[in-house]
Amino acid sequence: MLAKLVLVGVAVGFFAGEDPATITVEDFPVRGIETDVELSNSPEATHLRVTYQPDAPVAVSEDFVLGDDTSIRWTPRNAGIAKLESIKIQAPREGEGEEDAITVFASQDVSVKFDGIPASGVVIALFAALVLFGGAFFSMKALLTAGGSTED
Amino acid sequence: MSQQTGRGAWGSKLGFILAASGSAIGLGNIVFFGSNAYRYGGGAFYVPYFVALFLIGIPMMIVELGLGKTQRRGFPGSMRRTSGAAGEYFGWFSQVNAVFIGMYYITILAWSASMLLKAFGPLYENGGASVGPTFGAMLASWLPAGCALVIWTLNILFLTRGAETIEKVAKLFVPLMWVFMIILVVRGLTLENGAQGVLYLFTPNFEALADFSVWRGAFSQMFFSLSLGLGTMVAYSSYLSRKADVPANAKVVSFLNCGFEYIAGLAIFSILFAFTLHPGSSTGTLGMTLFVIPTGIAEFPAFQAFFAAFFFLLLVIAGLTSSISIIEGPVASLQDKFGWTRAKALGLVACIGLPGSIVFAWPTMLSQDGTETQTVGLTLLDLVDHWAFGYSLLLIGLAEAIFVGWVYGISRLRGEINETSRFQLGPWFDGLIKYVIPVVLIVVLGYNVFDEARNFYGTDAPFDGLDWLPYGVFLFWLLMTTVGASLLTKAPMRAGDSDREEA
C-alpha cells in the first residue's frame, strides 16, 4: 500500500520561479552513444553532475569537469532516467565540516534509451510473467475444477 | 447465509477469489510497486520480490486464510481461539490499526475522486502546467471532505449484507479494474518510447542486490501488498466453506495480486520513461499517484482528460474494493465478540471512521509562506501512516507467526488445512512459520527501529511551531491502539460464545 506519503511542496515547488540557467540535451539519448549537453547562463558552474536513477537509494552519480565551453560531450553509462545538473563544487572552509559545498545552477531530467534489447530484462520480464500468471492460471484452474461450491 | 454458522458465506469460489484479490489489490499495487521497483534497481527488485513472495507472502496468506476458515471468526476471535487472550490482544491491536488505516485510506480515495472531478474541469486547462496548481487547490479545499462522506456512504452500502454484498461488488469492480489497467498498459506501451520504459522496469541493476535496503523494501512490499497483518484475509476466509482448499485459494489470491502489480508496473514505467518522470523523494508514493502520473498523462497526444479521468476512476474502484475489506475486519470482529447486529457494528466503525477521514482531509495549510504547501490533514495522514501501516502490519505478522507457530502449533493448523487440501503442506511449512518468517520480520523491524532511533519520523519536516507534532501523533497512535486493544480484549464476550464453540 502507501508507505511514504509525504508529497507536496511539489505542487508549488515544481512550477515555482524560473531559473535562468538551463541545460539542453537531445531527447532520448542512447546508452553508450556520445551526445552534446549545452549549459547556458551558469558561468560559475564547475561540473556537470549526472545521477542515474535519481532520488533512489541505489542512485549513482558521476561528475564531469566543465571547461570554458558552454557544451560538454557526455556518454550515458546507464539506460533509464538520469538527472543532469550544472553545479559548483567548493571545498569546505575551515571549521565548516568535511563535505564539499554544492551549488546547483540548473537541472534537467532525461530518459536514456537502451542501445539494443537487453537480454536480462527480457528474461526477467518473461520469467515474472510466467510465474505470476502461470501460477494464477493453474491454481485457479485446480480450484475451480475441484468440484462443489463454497457452500457447505 | 450459512445456517451452520449464522455468519455470512461466499456464494461461490469465484466470489471469494474476486473479493480477496480485490481486497489485496488496491492503490498501493498501482503505484507503490512501480515506485519501489524504481527505487530499488528495476529488474533486480524482482529477485528479492520473488523470494519474499514464496518465503513470506504465500505462507502467511495460507496461515491467515487457514485461521479464518478453521476458526470461523474475525482476526481477534481466531487468535483468541488458537492462542488465548494474548493472541486476542494482538488481534484487536490489528483491528484498531485497521480503523486508523481505513480512515486515511478513504481520504486518499476522496483525493482521487476529487481529482477525477477536476479531470472534467481545470486539470489540463494549461496542459501539464495546470496539474500542480489544480492538485494543490484540491488539497486546500473542502471538496475531498465531501467526497470522503460519499465514499463512506458507498462503503456502508457495500457492507450492509456482509459477504453477500461484498461478493456482488467484487464481481463487478474487480474485472473492471483489470480491464481498465490493461487499457492503460496498451496506452502506455503505444507511447513513443513507452516500450523502453518496460525494458527499464525489468532490466536489472544487480549491484543493487548487495544493498540490504532493497531486500527490506521487497519484504515490506510483499507484506503490505498482500494486506497481511490487517485481519482482512482472516475475516474474508471466515466466510469460506469448511471444505475450501486453503493453499489453492492462497496461491490464486497472491498470484493475482502480484500479477496485477506486474501489469501496473508496465503502465507506470512506460509513462515515466516516455515523459521522463520519476517518483522523486519529495513526492513519495501519493505524489506519484495524484501528481506525477497525471502530469505524464498531460503529455498524451490526445484525450488527456479522458485518460486522466480513467486513471482516477481506476484508483477509486481499486481503492473501494480494498476499503470495504479494511472496514469489514473490525465490523466482523465486533459482531463476533459482542454478538451485535451488522448494522450496529458497521454504524460504530463508521461513526469513528468518518470524522477521522474528514480530519485527514483537513485543508488548512500548515504554512503559507510559499515554501511549504502541506495541509494539516496530509501531515497527520503521513505521520499516522508511518506508524499504523509501516510498523503495525509487520509487528502483527510477527505476533501471528509466533502465536500460531509456537502457541497453537503450526503443525496442528497445517493438519487442519491439509484435511481439505489437494496440495499437502509438508513439515517444511512449519519451519517457515516458526523460524524463517519471525527471523526475517525481526530483522526488518529491527532495522526500521534502528533508523527511527537515529531520525525520528517527521522531525526533519519544517512544521513551524509544531515540533511536537511527530511525537504527539506517535503517542496518540500508541495510546489508542494499545489501550483500545486491551479494553476490547478484556470486554466480556457475548453470551453463548466460547472458545470451543464451532472450533
Side-chain angles (χ1 to χ4, degrees):
Chain A
M1 216 156 79
L2 296 152
K4 190 168 180 181
L5 292 169
V6 178
L7 78 123
V8 198
V10 97
V12 166
F14 195 82
F15 295 100
E18 285 187 20
D19 192 331
T22 58
I23 296 176
T24 310
V25 62
E26 69 169 302
D27 288 339
F28 301 104
V30 179
R31 179 177 69 178
I33 296 179
E34 203 173 54
T35 186
D36 280 326
V37 179
E38 294 281 341
L39 300 104
S40 61
N41 301 325
S42 48
E44 291 183 56
T46 57
H47 292 77
L48 173 73
R49 172 165 290 177
V50 180
T51 305
Y52 299 98
Q53 208 113 341
D55 291 323
V58 296
V60 287
S61 295
E62 52 185 355
D63 292 340
F64 300 91
V65 178
L66 296 172
D68 294 335
D69 292 342
T70 57
S71 71
I72 185 170
R73 303 285 288 168
W74 167 55
T75 306
R77 199 176 71 177
N78 297 329
I81 309 291
K83 181 190 281 287
L84 309 182
E85 294 171 301
S86 57
I87 60 172
K88 181 181 179 183
I89 302 178
Q90 285 177 299
R93 283 183 291 195
E94 201 173 317
E96 289 187 352
E98 295 177 357
E99 289 188 8
D100 291 338
I102 308 286
T103 307
V104 179
F105 297 102
S107 175
Q108 176 69 48
D109 290 340
V110 63
S111 294
V112 178
K113 291 197 323 189
F114 288 90
D115 52 333
I117 296 178
S120 59
V122 174
V123 167
I124 287 182
L126 292 177
F127 175 76
L130 201 67
V131 170
L132 297 175
F133 295 110
F137 175 77
F138 285 111
S139 306
M140 194 180 286
K141 191 179 168 195
L143 194 65
L144 296 179
T145 56
S149 70
T150 59
E151 295 282 9
D152 277 344
Chain B
M1 297 278 275
S2 163
Q3 296 303 309
Q4 188 179 14
T5 64
R7 306 175 88 241
W10 301 111
S12 65
K13 291 175 181 176
L14 189 63
F16 169 74
I17 291 169
L18 290 175
S21 63
S23 161
I25 299 169
L27 299 178
N29 295 70
I30 297 171
V31 286
F32 191 37
F33 174 79
S35 176
N36 267 342
Y38 172 83
R39 286 165 48 79
Y40 296 124
F45 185 68
Y46 268 101
V47 175
Y49 179 80
F50 274 114
V51 171
L53 173 63
F54 290 103
L55 204 64
I56 287 189
I58 295 176
M60 285 303 287
M61 183 66 80
I62 290 173
V63 167
E64 296 213 346
L65 297 189
L67 268 181
K69 195 206 87 164
T70 58
Q71 306 305 318
R72 328 298 297 167
R73 288 289 180 272
F75 194 37
S78 294
M79 290 295 279
R80 182 184 70 244
R81 287 170 171 236
T82 53
S83 315
E88 185 185 358
Y89 175 85
F90 277 97
W92 283 117
F93 179 78
S94 83
Q95 296 312 288
V96 178
N97 267 295
V99 173
F100 271 111
I101 291 169
M103 286 177 190
Y104 69 74
Y105 197 80
I106 286 178
T107 303
I108 296 170
L109 276 183
W111 286 331
S112 302
S114 302
M115 289 297 277
L116 169 61
L117 297 175
K118 299 281 184 187
F120 297 107
L123 186 62
Y124 294 133
E125 268 175 359
N126 296 309
S130 310
V131 177
T134 304
F135 177 50
M138 180 277 292
L139 278 179
S141 74
W142 283 103
L143 176 63
C147 289
L149 180 63
V150 172
I151 289 166
W152 264 104
T153 307
L154 286 175
N155 273 281
I156 291 166
L157 283 175
F158 294 161
L159 286 167
T160 45
R161 294 176 70 87
E164 187 186 333
T165 39
I166 294 170
E167 186 170 342
K168 282 180 184 166
V169 171
K171 280 183 172 171
L172 172 67
F173 280 1
V174 175
L176 204 61
M177 201 161 75
W178 279 86
V179 170
F180 278 18
M181 183 49 85
I182 289 167
I183 291 171
L184 266 184
V185 170
V186 171
R187 175 66 279 210
L189 291 179
T190 51
L191 288 168
E192 189 183 355
N193 293 309
Q196 283 278 333
V198 176
L199 294 176
Y200 182 38
L201 167 62
F202 290 109
T203 302
N205 166 11
F206 285 117
E207 289 170 20
L209 285 179
D211 186 338
F212 176 72
S213 68
V214 175
W215 290 85
R216 181 175 63 151
F219 283 103
S220 300
Q221 161 78 20
M222 190 52 63
F223 225 81
F224 302 146
S225 167
L226 291 174
S227 299
L228 300 170
L230 258 177
T232 56
M233 290 301 162
V234 179
Y236 271 18
S237 60
S238 70
Y239 306 133
L240 271 173
S241 156
R242 289 184 186 280
K243 295 174 190 165
D245 184 333
V246 166
N249 277 295
K251 280 188 284 182
V252 172
V253 173
S254 303
F255 283 132
L256 283 178
N257 173 75
C258 296
F260 192 87
E261 277 183 344
Y262 178 96
I263 65 163
L266 299 181
I268 299 296
F269 265 65
S270 56
I271 294 172
L272 290 183
F273 190 91
F275 303 117
T276 317
L277 301 164
H278 61 85
S281 61
S282 62
T283 61
T285 306
L286 192 57
M288 185 157 143
T289 311
L290 299 176
F291 177 75
V292 177
I293 299 298
T295 302
I297 291 174
E299 303 299 323
F300 281 12
F303 305 114
Q304 296 94 337
F306 169 78
F307 277 105
F310 198 70
F311 175 70
F312 289 120
L313 185 60
L314 169 64
L315 292 180
V316 171
I317 289 175
L320 272 171
T321 56
S322 295
S323 66
I324 57 175
S325 72
I326 295 170
I327 299 167
E328 174 63 15
V331 169
S333 302
L334 289 169
Q335 282 189 277
D336 291 342
K337 176 98 185 187
F338 302 111
W340 291 351
T341 61
R342 171 159 282 270
K344 186 176 176 182
L346 189 53
L348 177 68
V349 173
C351 283
I352 297 169
L354 174 60
S357 295
I358 290 174
V359 168
F360 288 123
W362 203 268
T364 307
M365 291 290 176
L366 270 179
S367 162
Q368 299 192 19
D369 60 3
T371 59
E372 179 59 44
T373 60
Q374 193 130 317
T375 62
V376 171
L378 182 60
T379 305
L380 292 174
L381 187 154
D382 180 37
L383 294 171
V384 171
D385 172 73
H386 178 74
W387 300 107
F389 200 79
Y391 276 89
S392 73
L393 268 58
L394 296 173
L395 187 64
I396 293 158
L398 175 62
E400 200 177 346
I402 290 172
F403 279 112
V404 174
W406 294 89
V407 179
Y408 183 64
I410 187 61
S411 55
R412 185 175 165 191
L413 181 65
R414 178 166 60 85
E416 291 164 356
I417 289 171
N418 279 344
E419 282 174 15
T420 55
S421 161
R422 272 188 179 184
F423 174 75
Q424 296 291 294
L425 297 169
W428 55 268
F429 186 73
D430 301 3
L432 274 182
I433 304 300
K434 287 176 79 171
Y435 303 103
V436 177
I437 291 174
V439 167
V440 168
L441 293 178
I442 285 170
V443 170
V444 172
L445 273 166
Y447 197 92
N448 290 350
V449 171
F450 177 70
D451 268 357
E452 205 72 51
R454 290 189 301 179
N455 184 17
F456 194 85
Y457 190 78
T459 51
D460 54 358
F463 302 130
D464 293 340
L466 293 171
D467 296 342
W468 55 269
L469 194 63
Y471 303 104
V473 168
F474 167 69
L475 289 174
F476 179 74
W477 165 79
L478 191 66
L479 197 70
M480 294 302 287
T481 49
T482 53
V483 173
S486 180
L487 292 174
L488 285 161
T489 304
K490 286 176 183 167
M493 276 186 292
R494 63 173 163 165
D497 197 2
S498 81
D499 290 351
R500 290 184 183 173
E501 185 198 8
E502 295 172 23

